[in-house]
Amino acid sequence: QSFKLLGFLDVKSVPCARESVLYGSLGSLVVGLGHFLATSRVRRSCDFAVGGFICTMLGYWFYCRYNLAQHRIRQRMLKEGMRNKILFEGSSLDPERKQTGSERSDS
């Protein structure tokens, strides 16, 4: 069973959504409580808590999505490198193959 935040963000299946909401709620608690302890103004502290939630959630969302994209790029490069290694292994295009003097003069 899925949980949709705001009716469209499926927290269970979208990468980074769950962690972003959790860190956002923690950021909201810290900012709101900190502002309340500093000023003792309830309404203003709630406003700061909502702002802290939005900023923390969006900040972690972009951070997590950037790391996920970097991970996928590294994974794709590794997969292609392994495919090329299997494809070119033992052929004249293999970069790890040591060429003899007669092979060097031919190419």
Side-chain angles (χ1 to χ4, degrees), residues 1-80:
Q1 189 173 26
S2 65
F3 172 70
K4 292 192 181 221
L5 185 66
L6 300 175
F8 65 91
L9 181 62
D10 190 7
V11 176
K12 192 172 185 179
S13 65
V14 175
C16 300
R18 179 179 179 268
E19 292 85 6
S20 296
V21 171
L22 290 174
Y23 280 118
S25 61
L26 182 65
S28 168
L29 180 70
V30 168
V31 170
L33 190 62
H35 189 271
F36 177 74
L37 291 175
T39 63
S40 297
R41 296 173 63 187
V42 176
R43 184 177 169 96
R44 183 92 169 158
S45 297
C46 290
D47 293 341
F48 269 77
V50 170
F53 174 77
I54 291 170
C55 290
T56 307
M57 187 180 78
L58 288 177
Y60 188 76
W61 172 268
F62 288 120
Y63 169 76
C64 183
R65 294 297 286 199
Y66 177 77
N67 283 340
L68 185 64
Q70 291 295 322
H71 178 71
R72 286 181 177 167
I73 288 170
R74 285 192 302 268
Q75 209 173 22
R76 192 178 320 122
M77 287 173 51
L78 183 62
K79 191 177 192 179
E80 188 171 328

